[in-house]
Amino acid sequence: MTSSRRETEKGGAVSPELTASLSVRGVAVTYPNGTVALTDASFELGGGTICGLVGVNGSGKSTLFKAIMGFVAPAAGEIEIAGLSPRAAQKRNLVAYVPQAEDVDWSFPVLVEDVVMMGRYGRMGFMRRPSPNDRRMVDEALDRVGMAAYRTRQIGELSGGQRKRVFLARALAQDGLIILLDEPFTGVDVQTESAIIDLLRELKAQGHLMLVSTHNLGSVPDFCDQVVLVMRTVLAAGPTATTFTQANLEQAFGGVLRHFRLDGHALHQDDDRRSVTVLTDDERPVVFYGSVAERDEPLKRKGEEGS
Amino acid sequence: MMELLSPFTYDYMLKAMWVSALVGGTCAFLSAFLMLKGWSLMGDALAHCVVPGVAGAYLLGFPFAAGAFIAGLLAALGMAFVRSQTRLREDTVIGLVFTSFFAAGLLIASLNPVSVNIQSIVLGNILAISDEDAIQVVIISVVTLGILLVKWKDLMLVFFDETHARSIGLNVNGLKVLFFTLLSAAVVAALQTVGACLVIAMVVTPGATAYLLTDRFPRLLAIAVAIGAGTSFIGAYLSYFLDGATGGVLVTLQTLIFLATFFFAPRYGVLATRRKAAAAVVATPVADRLS
Ligand SMILES: Nc1ncnc2c1ncn2[C@@H]1O[C@H](COP(=O)(O)OP(=O)(O)OP(=O)(O)O)[C@@H](O)[C@H]1O
Ligand SMILES: [Mg+2]
């Protein structure tokens, strides 16, 4: 998105060799009402990467985000962002976070562009006066999510998907080394979704680390190079090719996924022994091609092997 | 003509007008924040919550303003704390804390009757404010305004989106405590000018009026402060002629401005909204309206 990330870092407090990393070790979270949302969750991410976070409703994805941000205190375990505590990383403006649902006052007298500018506050000086660079970042971010035409709308005068895009733009403008997106694609149209995915890929190339929760299982192999599967703990974490397998998904989703398996004459007239398995939790389905024996095999990218 | 300028020839009138304007501007600045968070009634509540502080201060021989400030601050922080720890809504929390403080004040006052001049607390008396009090009020207002001018953007962020404020490294709790400290100080200052009954108007009406006039927070602040300071100045001026309580005149002015805005505001006024709705109906072809 920009090559000026390093130079805009506040007060030069960040050493240039700082690279993106996220480590979650043995984290447990229990809510005040006694709900045990996570136990012994661990995974490590490093460098420019897009990591998908998948699991059923209530599996603890949002809780994991909140724990990483320090908004819920873990009962056990530790979290490090770029080698720092979450609070220290936030103070250095290393983390951008877009929650699943924004808890803001939609009638607040701020315009779309004002909201996106808030992403830059952490980098501004004492009086929080925007520099030309800050303005440029805001323009760029608005362009990227296709909301430039709405920049002078009051924030409440937008549709649900448009609101999501504005808050995504704010995270982009913030230009954090680590970007946490809790279900950015929910309620967003297909066109916007693929635009956002393109954007994430560019950020990855620039060395940003992204953790993105989603229910669109079908697009996970498309844009995530790593996945973390959660079910009250981290069931599996690692490269998509070896982690996003049918067996792991079945474990993570239990009976929740709808499972279609087509083979033999239901699928083809000839003697082809291959089969198709479709797993869906009602968003985009994920499709596995192969025989039963290959259940643990690495997932082939959609399209790599014709049907 | 000379008649109209005569308030400007008296030192006490000049003092009253400038001090009022300063307090009015400060309260208006705070009103913009309070209104947005559903805390509007907090100003009113604080004005009553200072009673135990005042009574306690008389008892212990403290300065009146110090006692009032401490009680107000405790009440404001108490409200913010109860709100953050429970699911109770703002109005309920204000009611709870406010009554307990007021009761404590009455209790202290009844156990140790003191000669607090109730009239001056309830109505304020800016025209007769002593030099000493005036200096105190001016210092409080100037310091409060100064801090607000530096920190208003951070406060806006905390009020609009606490999660984001935290995630960019702001000290959210520190900023909240700062805000409520400034609010308590401003309420104590306003108490001496307009009196407890009318503090509420000072910390609600200017913000509410400005809200109908703009969608941008910086402009909202500017409009609110202009209304707060302007009406306070003119209110004090007019009370010279009307021989009425400054507070009453001042708040009447604010209400008139609010009403005018309510009807005639270019975008959110009642008339503008009606006109736009009517224009939309005319502009839409009949076929569209039927489908
Ligand atoms: N504030 C809270 N207080 C108590 N329990 C909570 C709270 N928030 C979430 N939970 C519980 O913690 C568990 C994990 O919730 P979480 O929001 O992390 O799920 P999720 O994986 O994000 O689900 P979804 O896909 O629906 O967004 C759930 O069982 C939920 O009921
Ligand atoms: Mg969630």
Coordinates of all heavy atoms in Angstrom, one line a residue, chain B residues 27-59:
Chain B
C27 N -18.3 25.2 30.1 CA -19.4 24.2 30.3 C -19.9 23.7 28.9 O -20.2 22.5 28.7 CB -20.6 24.8 31.0 SG -20.2 25.0 32.8
A28 N -20.0 24.6 27.9 CA -20.5 24.2 26.6 C -19.5 23.2 26.0 O -20.0 22.3 25.3 CB -20.7 25.5 25.8
F29 N -18.3 23.4 26.1 CA -17.3 22.5 25.6 C -17.5 21.1 26.1 O -17.6 20.1 25.4 CB -15.9 23.0 26.0 CG -14.8 22.6 25.1 CD1 -13.9 23.5 24.6 CD2 -14.6 21.3 24.7 CE1 -12.9 23.2 23.7 CE2 -13.5 20.9 23.9 CZ -12.7 21.9 23.4
L30 N -17.7 21.0 27.4 CA -18.0 19.7 28.1 C -19.4 19.2 27.6 O -19.5 18.0 27.5 CB -17.9 19.9 29.6 CG -16.6 20.2 30.1 CD1 -16.7 20.8 31.5 CD2 -15.7 19.0 30.1
S31 N -20.3 20.1 27.4 CA -21.7 19.6 27.0 C -21.7 18.8 25.8 O -22.4 17.8 25.6 CB -22.6 20.8 26.9 OG -22.4 21.4 25.6
A32 N -20.8 19.1 24.8 CA -20.7 18.4 23.6 C -20.4 16.9 23.8 O -20.9 16.0 23.2 CB -19.7 19.0 22.7
F33 N -19.5 16.7 24.8 CA -19.1 15.3 25.0 C -20.2 14.6 25.8 O -20.5 13.5 25.5 CB -17.8 15.3 25.9 CG -16.6 15.7 25.1 CD1 -16.1 17.0 25.1 CD2 -15.9 14.7 24.4 CE1 -15.0 17.3 24.4 CE2 -14.8 15.1 23.6 CZ -14.3 16.4 23.7
L34 N -20.7 15.2 26.8 CA -21.7 14.6 27.7 C -22.9 14.2 26.9 O -23.4 13.1 27.0 CB -22.2 15.6 28.8 CG -21.2 15.8 29.9 CD1 -21.7 16.9 30.8 CD2 -20.9 14.5 30.6
M35 N -23.4 15.1 26.0 CA -24.6 14.8 25.3 C -24.4 13.5 24.4 O -25.3 12.7 24.3 CB -24.9 16.0 24.4 CG -25.9 15.7 23.3 SD -25.8 17.0 22.1 CE -24.2 16.7 21.4
L36 N -23.3 13.4 23.8 CA -23.1 12.2 22.9 C -23.0 10.9 23.6 O -23.3 9.9 23.1 CB -21.7 12.5 22.2 CG -21.8 13.6 21.2 CD1 -20.5 14.0 20.7 CD2 -22.8 13.2 20.0
K37 N -22.7 10.9 24.9 CA -22.5 9.7 25.6 C -23.8 9.4 26.5 O -23.8 8.4 27.2 CB -21.3 9.8 26.5 CG -20.4 8.6 26.7 CD -20.2 7.8 25.5 CE -19.4 6.5 25.8 NZ -19.2 5.7 24.7
G38 N -24.8 10.2 26.3 CA -26.0 9.9 27.2 C -25.8 10.3 28.6 O -26.5 9.9 29.5
W39 N -24.8 11.1 28.9 CA -24.4 11.5 30.2 C -25.0 12.9 30.5 O -24.6 13.6 31.5 CB -22.9 11.6 30.4 CG -22.2 10.3 30.7 CD1 -21.1 9.8 30.0 CD2 -22.4 9.4 31.7 NE1 -20.7 8.7 30.6 CE2 -21.5 8.3 31.6 CE3 -23.4 9.3 32.8 CZ2 -21.4 7.2 32.5 CZ3 -23.3 8.2 33.6 CH2 -22.4 7.2 33.5
S40 N -25.9 13.4 29.7 CA -26.3 14.8 29.8 C -26.7 15.2 31.2 O -26.4 16.3 31.7 CB -27.4 15.1 28.8 OG -26.9 15.3 27.5
L41 N -27.4 14.3 31.8 CA -28.0 14.7 33.1 C -26.9 14.6 34.2 O -27.2 15.0 35.4 CB -29.1 13.7 33.5 CG -30.4 14.0 32.6 CD1 -31.4 13.0 33.0 CD2 -30.9 15.4 32.8
M42 N -25.7 14.2 33.9 CA -24.7 14.1 34.9 C -24.3 15.5 35.4 O -24.1 15.7 36.6 CB -23.4 13.5 34.3 CG -22.4 13.2 35.4 SD -20.8 12.7 34.7 CE -20.9 10.9 34.8
G43 N -24.4 16.5 34.6 CA -24.1 17.9 35.1 C -25.0 18.3 36.2 O -24.6 18.8 37.2
D44 N -26.3 18.0 35.9 CA -27.3 18.3 36.9 C -27.1 17.6 38.2 O -27.1 18.1 39.3 CB -28.7 18.0 36.3 CG -29.8 18.3 37.3 OD1 -29.7 19.4 38.0 OD2 -30.8 17.5 37.4
A45 N -26.8 16.3 38.0 CA -26.6 15.4 39.2 C -25.4 15.9 40.0 O -25.5 16.0 41.2 CB -26.4 14.0 38.7
L46 N -24.3 16.2 39.3 CA -23.1 16.7 40.0 C -23.4 17.9 40.8 O -22.9 18.1 41.9 CB -22.0 16.9 39.0 CG -21.3 15.7 38.4 CD1 -20.1 16.1 37.6 CD2 -21.0 14.7 39.4
A47 N -24.2 18.8 40.2 CA -24.5 20.1 40.9 C -25.1 19.8 42.3 O -24.9 20.6 43.2 CB -25.4 20.9 40.1
H48 N -25.9 18.7 42.3 CA -26.5 18.4 43.6 C -25.6 17.5 44.5 O -25.7 17.5 45.7 CB -27.8 17.6 43.4 CG -28.9 18.5 42.8 ND1 -29.0 18.7 41.4 CD2 -29.8 19.3 43.3 CE1 -29.9 19.5 41.2 NE2 -30.5 19.9 42.3
C49 N -24.7 16.7 43.8 CA -23.8 15.8 44.5 C -22.8 16.6 45.3 O -22.2 16.1 46.2 CB -23.1 14.9 43.6 SG -24.2 13.6 42.9
V50 N -22.6 17.9 45.0 CA -21.5 18.6 45.7 C -22.0 19.0 47.1 O -21.2 19.4 47.9 CB -21.1 19.9 45.0 CG1 -20.6 19.5 43.6 CG2 -22.2 20.9 44.9
V51 N -23.3 18.9 47.4 CA -23.8 19.3 48.7 C -23.1 18.7 49.9 O -22.6 19.5 50.8 CB -25.3 19.1 48.8 CG1 -25.8 19.4 50.2 CG2 -26.0 19.9 47.7
P52 N -22.9 17.4 49.9 CA -22.1 16.9 51.1 C -20.7 17.4 51.2 O -20.2 17.7 52.3 CB -22.1 15.3 50.8 CG -22.4 15.1 49.4 CD -23.3 16.3 49.0
G53 N -20.1 17.7 50.0 CA -18.8 18.3 50.0 C -18.8 19.7 50.6 O -17.9 20.0 51.4
V54 N -19.8 20.5 50.2 CA -19.9 21.8 50.8 C -20.1 21.8 52.3 O -19.5 22.5 53.1 CB -21.0 22.6 50.1 CG1 -21.2 24.0 50.7 CG2 -20.8 22.7 48.6
A55 N -21.1 20.9 52.7 CA -21.4 20.8 54.1 C -20.2 20.4 54.9 O -19.8 20.9 55.9 CB -22.6 19.9 54.3
G56 N -19.5 19.4 54.3 CA -18.3 18.8 55.0 C -17.2 19.9 55.0 O -16.5 20.0 56.1
A57 N -17.1 20.7 54.0 CA -16.0 21.7 54.0 C -16.3 22.8 55.1 O -15.4 23.2 55.8 CB -16.0 22.4 52.6
Y58 N -17.5 23.2 55.2 CA -17.9 24.1 56.3 C -17.5 23.5 57.6 O -17.0 24.2 58.5 CB -19.4 24.5 56.2 CG -19.6 25.7 55.3 CD1 -19.8 25.5 54.0 CD2 -19.7 27.0 55.9 CE1 -20.1 26.6 53.2 CE2 -19.9 28.0 55.1 CZ -20.1 27.8 53.7 OH -20.3 28.9 52.9
L59 N -17.8 22.3 57.8 CA -17.6 21.6 59.0 C -16.1 21.5 59.4 O -15.7 21.8 60.5 CB -18.1 20.1 58.9 CG -18.6 19.4 60.1 CD1 -19.9 20.1 60.6 CD2 -18.9 17.9 59.7

